[in-house]
Amino acid sequence: MEDPAALGAGNPPANGYSNGNGNGGGKGKPAAPKGRETFRSQRRESEGSVDCPTLEFEYGDTDGHAAELSELYSYTENPEFTTNRRCFEEDFKTQVQGKEWLELEEDAQKAYVMGLLDRLEVVSRERRLKVARAVLYLAQGTFGECDSEVDVLHWSRYNCFLLYQMGTFSAFLELLHMEIDNSQACSSALRKPAISIADSTELRVLLSVMYLMVENIRLERETDSYGWRRARETFRTELSFSMHNEEPFALLLFSMVTKFCSGLAPHFPIKKVLLLLWKVVMFTLGGFEQLQALKVQKREELGLPPLAEDSIQVVKSMRAASPPSYTLDLGESQLAPPPSKLRGRRGSRRQLLTKQDSLDIYNERDLFKTEEPATEEEEESAGDGERTLDGELDLLEQDPLVPPPPSQAPLSAERVAFPKGLPWTPKVRQKDIEHFLEMSRNKFIGFTLEQDTDTLVGLPRPIHESVKTLKQAFWPKRLRHAACRILVAQPGIEPVPPVLGAWSLNHWTAREVPPLALWLKVNAKVFAALQTWKYGINTVLKHFAAVHDAKHKYISIADVQIKNEEELEKCPMSLGEEVVPETPCEILYQGMLCSLPQYMIALLKILLAAAPTSKAKTDSINILADVLPEEMPITVLQSMKLGIDVNRHKEIIVKSISALLLLLLKHFKLNHIYQTFYSPPNKHPFCFDLLIQFEYVSQHLVFANCIPLILKFFNQNILSYITAKNSISVLDYPCCIIQDLPELTTESLEAGDNNQFCWRNLFSCINLLRLLNKLTKWKHSRTMMLVVFKSAPILKRALKVKQAMLQLYVLKLLKIQTKYLGRQWRKSNMKTMSAIYQKVRHRMNDDWAYGNDIDARPWDFQAEECTLRANIEAFNSRRYDRPQDSEFSPVDNCLQSVLGQRLDLPEDFHYSYELWLEREVFSQPICWEELLQNH
């Protein structure tokens, strides 16, 4: 077997080649530069250049407005733009004489739209399709009367608002129901050996109109009129709630996805369905900015201090780190070299280690690490692990080993930059303090105190200092200021004395809030005001203690909602039924509850089929039904164009699914939180948070192999995927309908556009990494899945992309599994460890960099998942499966209130009430002695 490190580290022969065992014959040192050049050329050909420039990427809900509209259409559909225009002009000339659409007044335009909607209600499918195409031409911006792309986008938005105000969306929704239930179209598509875009013409027209209306109305601009803003809110309400006893629109689209994946409707244009579903969920529930605002609002309602920072805003100010050394991308479990190889270098390595800088993440090269090739035994071990994963889950593929690069030149001091400090505010939860005190008490005293973080009797002085540090935890000054506002604005204790409010806001912004006793002594005026206050000083003491304790640690919305849930579990009878707010997120979850596993499996099936690393299989679903033409290409140019269109089609599907799943998880996570306790055998019980709706979705994703699927997606040259140029700018909407199309050549298609990277591919990668983080955070069983699937080398290859946000979520995933990778891995990947320290938020008392969880056992992880599932089922049963006539429903046992109730009797009751009394009361014998004995 040839040694992969022979070219870079060995002594190659004079002709530049090595023999079978990797040891060159003759004098190899003079030929070393040639060997290095050979390796560099091979590496660039296979993997591309490692020196990736920093990508200027701004993460957001969506790409630009024009880009989002252009991704709705495939290049195969471009001839249909002309068909839509012809259908509109033919119909418009029969209704309006001597004028164009843009020349009409608004009332005339509304009258024409009403006529179009009337002509939609015909039996003939051909006539109905022509009218629908005319409506689609209006939604596309009546491009035949425009001179520029800006005009097309402007009139497209104007026409969409006009169409909605006239009831077009409701009319098209009825037509969509008809097409979904069209069994003839389904059976015709099932009989065909190859499905093309001709089989989904009606559905594509309907979905295109609805997508354009959602996307244009969803877009908010400062210049929008009051009528448009009101129409937007009305449209959002219609999509969020079930109207006229119908399910929400998102559930209809989910049902289309599952029907497509089941094989019952293979002709569905799945890309358009997924894009529309993603935009509907974003429009009704809110994007990332709305999520942050909703989180701030909930914290204010619960009386919690505001958040220290916005994660996305902090990441935007980060600087991308240089990727790790190339050899680290391969063997992640490298063994130490033999002692004979270390003797000659020990002095130089020791010298480098003494000069090591703690901020080596900002060095372009690793100054202190000399990489060692993996041994033959470890290479076989890594190969066995990949084969095991590939055989069991059929998801991950093996990655070929690549020889290590040549020795690196010394780094000049000019290229070293130093950061100002850590970008994140460290967080400390109540659990962290309780866990630290539990371990300390068990060690020094021998017993614990449940939920007591104040008693430190018997503990050494260093433990006292540690608890003090944990409680203070770098609390920012603006949060202390907000805590003072909470004190002086507590609900139910107004009006606050002016002296108290003024002093609090002016003087409580110092480094430390003074104790209440000292504060009252130095402020006689405030003390006098409190004595005359009707609520008394005890109320102030109570609220001050709560705020003073809250300022020391991070309190999440979960901590507050958990207490409410615990009270409901303890006292279900006395507290009564839980009040569930009818929010759009809650309504969507209730509608998805019954079929949620099928929805998640369907989305992951489509994601697997669209992944660039997936192999074609006979049992996989066909996601190309709405991109393949009726006649297959016959020239090289047509084949290249279709190949670009197919790749672009898959990229858009990955983008929509990744964004949709991330939005669902984030909204469900904020919608409800619950907590439970888990007791491992022969161990202390511990509690963990259950964001039930979030956990329900995430667990079904995990059961459907979402974690290995995402790892399979990243098991490729991710830099090439992000910089892929699967787009033809002259064929994108609206450019293709305004300008005369130039003659396409194979050279122009190969060259692609001039963009540095593909926005949608980088957006998809970040979303998938965020999704993987959410699935594995605080879940040891899922973290071990990352370790078992050998995700470390796959994730480290993604660090080649110099984009701060992508690197951050990769480092987060590496951070949670470093303690399981062993000491040798951490020793061999010190630059990655430094990057984690510099960029990822730290938890106080976290042992990620050095700890080994020796108590972890597989049965504990399985029990954790089983406990989680049992609590989820119990919660869903208690909250959503309650029968109407439950035996636990309250009963009125008061005789006076029962007899005093007014009952509605039938009109003819007073004619026969005497007979009823005789039959039901007087004629029935009553044994009073037996009755008294029983009671």
Side-chain angles (χ1 to χ4, degrees), residues 624-852:
L624 306 178
D626 52 337
V627 70
L628 296 178
E630 291 186 87
E631 299 179 358
M632 297 306 293
I634 56 177
T635 64
V636 176
L637 182 62
Q638 293 176 348
S639 300
M640 290 182 62
K641 178 184 172 184
L642 181 60
I644 292 174
D645 200 7
V646 168
N647 292 334
R648 175 177 175 266
H649 180 81
K650 292 182 177 180
E651 291 172 359
I652 296 171
I653 289 178
V654 173
K655 169 188 172 183
S656 57
I657 293 179
S658 63
L660 172 63
L661 290 176
L662 182 60
L663 275 178
L664 288 176
L665 285 180
K666 290 185 74 68
H667 277 284
F668 289 152
K669 184 176 182 179
L670 192 60
N671 195 42
H672 188 267
I673 299 170
Y674 179 57
Q675 187 184 53
T676 188
F677 290 86
Y678 166 60
S679 299
N682 302 324
K683 294 183 181 180
H684 294 288
F686 61 90
C687 63
F688 51 91
D689 295 344
L690 294 182
L691 302 94
I692 289 294
Q693 297 173 353
F694 163 80
E695 294 291 356
Y696 187 54
V697 177
S698 61
Q699 192 170 66
H700 281 293
L701 289 174
V702 172
F703 290 163
N705 285 335
C706 182
I707 292 178
L709 172 57
I710 296 177
L711 294 178
K712 172 186 174 63
F713 181 88
F714 281 93
N715 193 21
Q716 60 170 317
N717 186 357
I718 203 67
L719 183 59
S720 299
Y721 179 75
I722 289 176
T723 56
K725 298 181 178 180
N726 292 316
S727 60
I728 308 172
S729 57
V730 295
L731 297 182
D732 287 335
Y733 171 89
C735 178
C736 63
I737 55 179
I738 292 297
Q739 303 176 3
D740 295 333
L741 296 181
E743 183 180 358
L744 297 177
T745 61
T746 56
E747 291 78 10
S748 62
L749 293 181
E750 289 177 353
D753 51 24
N754 298 324
N755 295 328
Q756 185 186 19
F757 59 91
C758 180
W759 193 95
R760 63 172 168 266
N761 289 354
L762 185 51
F763 178 74
S764 302
C765 291
I766 292 176
N767 287 339
L768 290 175
L769 288 172
R770 296 184 70 183
L771 181 62
L772 192 56
N773 268 281
K774 289 198 170 297
L775 294 180
T776 55
K777 187 176 181 181
W778 306 115
K779 298 293 187 300
H780 297 291
S781 58
R782 300 170 190 177
T783 303
M784 289 305 298
M785 291 178 69
L786 296 178
V787 179
V788 171
F789 294 154
K790 298 187 181 298
S791 64
I794 297 174
L795 294 171
K796 279 193 60 188
R797 279 195 293 270
L799 292 176
K800 295 178 186 177
V801 182
K802 294 186 67 174
Q803 205 283 324
M805 194 168 192
L806 184 139
Q807 289 182 346
L808 171 66
Y809 289 105
V810 170
L811 294 173
K812 280 187 175 184
L813 291 168
L814 290 173
K815 175 178 179 284
I816 62 176
Q817 55 178 316
T818 49
K819 65 170 66 177
Y820 306 108
L821 296 177
R823 180 181 177 185
Q824 189 60 43
W825 185 93
R826 297 192 291 268
K827 182 179 178 182
S828 303
N829 296 273
M830 287 306 298
K831 192 169 185 181
T832 303
M833 300 290 288
S834 299
I836 293 173
Y837 173 78
Q838 287 293 330
K839 293 187 175 296
V840 182
R841 187 197 302 274
H842 296 285
R843 299 277 178 173
M844 306 295 288
N845 202 33
D846 190 2
D847 60 347
W848 69 271
Y850 57 86
N852 288 308

Side-chain angles (χ1 to χ4, degrees), residues 239-295:
L239 294 178
S240 303
F241 300 94
S242 55
M243 307 297 291
H244 308 294
N245 296 327
E246 294 182 357
E247 59 186 3
F249 184 54
L251 293 180
L252 175 64
L253 298 176
F254 269 118
S255 65
M256 292 184 67
V257 174
T258 54
K259 191 173 182 180
F260 171 81
C261 290
S262 64
L264 299 177
H267 65 294
F268 279 1
I270 195 61
K271 185 190 77 172
K272 288 181 169 55
V273 174
L274 291 172
L275 281 174
L276 181 56
L277 176 59
W278 168 38
K279 294 302 174 64
V280 167
V281 171
M282 184 190 305
F283 183 36
T284 55
L285 303 187
F288 298 127
E289 293 183 0
Q290 288 81 2
L291 266 169
Q292 185 69 17
L294 184 60
K295 187 183 297 185

Side-chain angles (χ1 to χ4, degrees), residues 40 44 70 107 152 396 770 835:
R40 285 171 181 162
R44 284 168 183 162
S70 66
D107 294 337
V152 173
L396 293 183
R770 296 184 70 183

Side-chain angles (χ1 to χ4, degrees), residues 306-543:
L307 295 171
E309 66 264 321
D310 184 358
S311 301
I312 296 179
Q313 298 301 324
V314 173
V315 174
K316 287 181 180 179
S317 61
M318 278 187 179
R319 172 187 168 185
S322 299
S325 300
Y326 190 74
T327 47
L328 297 182
D329 299 341
L330 306 175
E332 292 297 319
S333 56
Q334 298 179 350
L335 295 177
S340 59
K341 293 186 179 182
L342 281 177
R343 292 193 189 101
R345 296 193 302 244
R346 188 165 294 170
S348 60
R349 173 171 289 194
R350 188 174 299 162
Q351 182 181 3
L352 286 175
L353 284 173
T354 57
K355 296 181 180 180
Q356 173 192 351
D357 192 284
S358 62
L359 305 178
D360 50 343
I361 178 59
Y362 289 90
N363 298 340
E364 291 294 327
R365 301 193 185 279
D366 200 344
L367 295 178
F368 59 94
K369 180 64 190 161
T370 303
E371 300 302 334
E372 301 294 340
T375 61
E376 222 175 276
E377 181 182 351
E378 288 174 329
E379 291 174 5
E380 293 176 359
S381 174
D384 292 341
E386 291 184 357
R387 283 192 295 271
T388 302
L389 178 64
D390 199 19
E392 293 181 356
L393 298 171
D394 199 20
L395 285 175
L396 293 183
E397 299 172 355
Q398 298 183 14
D399 190 67
L401 294 180
V402 182
S407 58
Q408 299 171 349
L411 177 67
S412 61
E414 300 175 356
R415 302 177 66 184
V416 180
F418 300 97
K420 295 181 179 180
L422 297 178
W424 302 100
T425 302
K427 289 182 178 179
V428 176
R429 302 178 302 167
Q430 180 72 15
K431 295 180 189 176
D432 300 331
I433 303 176
E434 293 175 357
H435 181 63
F436 175 74
L437 282 175
E438 180 183 359
M439 293 190 303
S440 301
R441 287 166 179 158
N442 283 331
K443 180 178 180 181
F444 293 103
I445 303 177
F447 64 89
T448 61
L449 298 175
E450 294 292 338
Q451 298 180 354
D452 187 350
T453 59
D454 298 326
T455 305
L456 303 178
V457 177
L459 297 177
R461 190 64 186 176
I463 300 297
H464 291 222
E465 298 295 331
S466 299
V467 173
K468 181 180 179 181
T469 303
L470 286 172
K471 285 188 174 182
Q472 292 181 352
F474 305 100
W475 191 264
K477 184 181 295 184
R478 59 186 173 199
L479 294 189
R480 288 195 294 271
H481 186 76
C484 305
R485 290 183 178 272
I486 294 173
L487 175 63
V488 300
Q490 285 292 336
I493 59 172
E494 295 180 357
V496 180
V499 179
L500 174 63
W503 194 91
S504 299
L505 297 182
N506 293 334
H507 295 271
W508 281 14
T509 56
R511 176 178 290 273
E512 290 294 336
V513 178
L516 183 59
L518 177 62
W519 175 67
L520 292 176
K521 287 180 181 179
V522 298
N523 296 276
K525 294 183 179 180
V526 178
F527 185 73
L530 288 175
Q531 287 181 326
T532 60
W533 196 21
K534 66 176 182 178
Y535 292 96
I537 196 170
N538 290 331
T539 305
V540 179
L541 286 169
K542 175 183 175 182
H543 288 286

